[in-house]
Amino acid sequence: MPDYASEHRRSIDDPVGFWSEHARALHWYRPFEQVLDTSRSPTGRWFTGGQVNACHEALDRHVESGAGERVALVYDSAMTGAIESITYAQLRAQVAELAGWMQARGIVAGDRVLIYMPVIPEAVVAMLACARLGAIHAVVFGGFGAREVATRIDDTEPRLILAASCGLEPGRVVEYLPLLNQALAQCRHQPQACLILQRPQGPAALTPGRDLDWRREVPGSPPAACVPVDANHPLYVLHTSGTTGRPKGIVRDTAGYLVALRYSMHAVYGVAPGDVFWAASDIGWVVGHSYMVYGPLAHGCTTVLYEGKPVGTPDAAQLWRVAARHGVNVLFTAPTAIRAVKREDPRGELPAAHDLGALRALFLAGERADPDTIAWAQRSLARPVVDHWWQTETGWPVAANCLGLEPLPVKPGSVSVPVPGFDVRVLDEQGLPVAAGGTGSIVLKLPLPPGCLATLWRDHEGFVAAYLTGFTGYYLTGDGGLLDTDGYLHVMGRIDDVINVAGHRLSTGEIEQALASHPDVAECAVIPVADAIKGQVPMGLVVLKVGVTRPQDGLRAELIARVRDDVGPVAAFRDCHIVARLPKTRSGKVLRGTMRRIAAGENPATPATIDDPLVLDELRPTLRRAADSGGG
Ligand code: COA
Ligand code: AMP
């Protein structure tokens, strides 16, 4: 096992040598001419001139090397009771068939295809069928509202939409078609067709001339072969929340991503081909893209797709039931899921009722993991619990205790050390390095390793402005934190307006936009407040237009419903206060940061720039109540 320190040093001192070695593991239809090209983008483009195919890496390569009978995917639905195993050969056949159908309808490399599906095998088939043809997929999470879906359609202009008729949430069927219809009614762009997978739990009424029935259309289509694409061809666009109300379309290059994911599977997660890897997430998030689909499959592992929740479907033992039943070697989930389980099983007794003999480690990411939650998991599982840190933009972990390298001592509260490939620094407001132990902005020194975002979809200027201009020569992560004297990274949280609700990344700007669209709202502010299970939940402060005298209860209910419809139920927006005024600076900027700190239980000084200190004083009791009820 290589030692961490020398592996990391080599990756930083000689990135070209380091990554070209790892790139050899891929099947290159055409070899790359240059390992790292920084002439076109300061973040760097990897393996230029080469040609690969992501679906070939995920499926065909294994089938061709004799592993076709290995299980590629296990589907376990706590919602329907279904359990299904699909081998690499079977999955390839399904993917090639759907790709063949798409090809017959004229879909070619570079076309966009929007995927709107729950966690079911066909969602993976859809993603890989796109990759097979070089079509760029844009997966939209099922828990978003119509406006979020519409924004993604207009941004990517898909020729085709692949959707399921419904998703299944505890106690309710989420009908996708009414949401899709509502979204399309708001869109400039219309797709050529929508291919709909009818689920028996909630079949949909199809729109004639637009919607086609997947199960009638696809079977029997001639299988499509893999289409080689350039190394820097976008594999997908995945939108994520930024500091504005408009989500950012993260563009992922194909070859660098595959190289990085394969490296991470063994170096970070310590898994080998044939191991069973379970990322308990959703294909709509980056974790789903990287570690439910492309990472485990490219590495020849079995990936587990779980449709259900960690609690309530029907109990708090589902993580352990699924892990035992399918012999999971490594489990990855969000701390919020463990907090929810811990609440129902505070003594950690449920894991012992399941045979977790195969389980080697639990990885946590997506939000801050509080030390209590980590300690509970360590005690209950008696296995390494690794808190690791990354983001949609990076595509794979930036800091972790790498189990495939010589693991380091664990420091509670830290996400451990920078993963090989990442040069992590902490800078102060002037862009100067902060001494060990001091807090500042967490940045990544350019160029970025393979796998990280290359640009934003059709918005390269926005990409440069959002990530590269804050500190010249560095990528701005948006998180604050510190590197301690042992080189361990401690992530304190976002320094921008991104909030993290039950592991779901949202922007306060998106929620504010929904509130502001209500005809009675003059202005509003949304700030995060602590929540014992979800980590953070949004709180809305709304000022009404002059002359609005409607009863506040009805209005509040309308505002809550509006956020649910526009942004989605995942925003968990329930705490809405109608207030007389918002505190502002003399130049008219709402003091969100100050309110946020009061709601976090701090006692910040009243800013010198405040226009009227009384306004802030009026709000203090509301904000303090949020702080008091938050973490409890
Ligand atoms: N489609 C439609 N609706 C969805 C949805 C989806 N894919 N996912 C969530 N929702 C809805 C839920 O039904 C719920 O609606 P409700 O207000 O009617 O109850 C709402 O969005 C909030 O859902 P959720 O965030 O799942 O919260 P919860 O209170 O139902 O459950 C947890 C709490 C902690 C169990 C749950 O949030 C969880 O498992 N989180 C892990 C998240 C995760 O894996 N993130 C990926 C990063 S690794
Ligand atoms: P996402 O892009 O949805 O993966 O969200 C990324 C953001 O989640 C990061 O910028 C962090 O703010 C937060 N995050 C992810 N993992 C961790 C972690 N292990 N500890 C603290 N924050 C985290």
Side-chain angles (χ1 to χ4, degrees), residues 309-395:
K309 302 270 172 178
V311 293
T313 58
D315 55 33
Q318 291 305 300
L319 289 179
W320 325 129
R321 175 191 67 77
V322 174
R325 163 98 198 214
H326 306 296
V328 169
N329 300 116
V330 169
L331 168 59
F332 175 170
T333 190
T336 187
I338 301 296
R339 283 196 298 270
V341 170
K342 172 173 156 246
R343 184 170 61 177
E344 299 202 10
D345 179 22
R347 290 146 66 106
E349 289 164 346
L350 293 174
H354 297 270
D355 177 4
L356 297 176
L359 188 67
R360 296 197 292 263
L362 168 68
F363 280 79
L364 300 175
E367 50 162 341
R368 199 183 95 81
D370 51 287
D372 274 2
T373 299
I374 294 188
W376 178 91
Q378 266 161 351
R379 247 192 346 266
S380 315
L381 295 173
R383 296 197 173 42
V385 176
V386 182
D387 178 14
H388 66 323
W389 171 73
W390 52 297
Q391 38 185 213
T392 307
E393 289 86 341
T394 65

Side-chain angles (χ1 to χ4, degrees), residues 173-539:
V173 171
V174 182
E175 292 183 7
Y176 280 16
L177 268 269
L179 269 160
L180 187 59
N181 293 339
Q182 218 181 316
L184 283 170
Q186 299 174 31
C187 284
R188 249 184 313 100
H189 174 84
Q190 298 295 313
Q192 274 172 15
C194 300
L195 184 67
I196 310 297
L197 184 83
Q198 295 282 22
R199 297 189 77 190
Q201 297 79 10
L206 304 188
T207 302
R210 187 197 73 187
D211 296 346
L212 301 164
D213 185 321
W214 182 310
R215 290 219 172 80
R216 281 208 194 121
E217 289 280 327
V218 177
S221 300
C226 291
V227 175
V229 297
D230 287 344
N232 304 126
H233 181 76
L235 174 61
Y236 63 76
V237 179
L238 178 60
H239 287 83
T240 190
S241 298
T243 50
T244 64
R246 200 170 158 265
K248 298 182 166 111
I250 304 299
V251 178
R252 192 85 62 206
D253 280 7
T254 306
Y257 186 50
L258 294 164
V259 171
L261 290 182
R262 284 194 63 183
Y263 175 72
S264 70
M265 288 303 292
H266 68 82
V268 177
Y269 298 104
V271 296
D275 278 348
V276 181
F277 191 87
W278 178 24
S281 180
D282 190 289
I283 54 142
W285 305 116
V286 69
V287 177
H289 284 61
S290 296
Y291 295 111
M292 288 167 79
V293 183
Y294 291 107
L297 294 179
H299 199 49
C301 294
T302 297
T303 184
V304 179
L305 297 195
Y306 170 66
E307 187 183 29
K309 302 270 172 178
V311 293
T313 58
D315 55 33
Q318 291 305 300
L319 289 179
W320 325 129
R321 175 191 67 77
V322 174
R325 163 98 198 214
H326 306 296
V328 169
N329 300 116
V330 169
L331 168 59
F332 175 170
T333 190
T336 187
I338 301 296
R339 283 196 298 270
V341 170
K342 172 173 156 246
R343 184 170 61 177
E344 299 202 10
D345 179 22
R347 290 146 66 106
E349 289 164 346
L350 293 174
H354 297 270
D355 177 4
L356 297 176
L359 188 67
R360 296 197 292 263
L362 168 68
F363 280 79
L364 300 175
E367 50 162 341
R368 199 183 95 81
D370 51 287
D372 274 2
T373 299
I374 294 188
W376 178 91
Q378 266 161 351
R379 247 192 346 266
S380 315
L381 295 173
R383 296 197 173 42
V385 176
V386 182
D387 178 14
H388 66 323
W389 171 73
W390 52 297
Q391 38 185 213
T392 307
E393 289 86 341
T394 65
W396 63 292
V398 179
N401 202 346
C402 296
L403 293 193
L405 306 176
E406 233 165 59
L408 301 172
V410 172
K411 278 199 191 191
S414 164
V415 290
S416 297
V417 290
V419 167
F422 289 98
D423 190 351
V424 180
R425 310 280 178 98
V426 175
L427 302 181
D428 68 15
E429 279 171 13
Q430 277 70 49
L432 299 171
V434 174
T439 54
S441 258
I442 305 177
V443 297
L444 308 177
K445 190 165 183 307
L446 301 178
L448 297 174
C452 298
L453 82 171
T455 183
L456 291 181
W457 181 250
R458 289 181 175 162
D459 188 14
H460 193 70
E461 265 177 33
F463 166 64
V464 173
Y467 299 104
L468 305 180
T469 47
F471 302 106
T472 309
Y474 298 92
Y475 162 87
L476 184 69
T477 67
D479 279 298
L482 63 91
L483 278 163
D484 69 17
T485 44
D486 297 322
Y488 278 58
L489 184 67
H490 301 249
V491 179
M492 305 303 189
R494 299 291 302 197
I495 46 180
D496 55 17
D497 295 326
V498 168
I499 63 172
N500 210 310
V501 181
H504 311 306
R505 174 167 161 184
L506 300 165
S507 122
T508 51
E510 280 166 319
I511 302 172
E512 286 179 6
Q513 204 170 303
L515 292 172
S517 71
H518 191 287
D520 291 344
V521 171
E523 58 178 345
C524 61
V526 172
I527 56 168
V529 298
D531 181 87
I533 298 295
K534 296 190 183 221
Q536 293 182 320
V537 287
M539 173 200 224

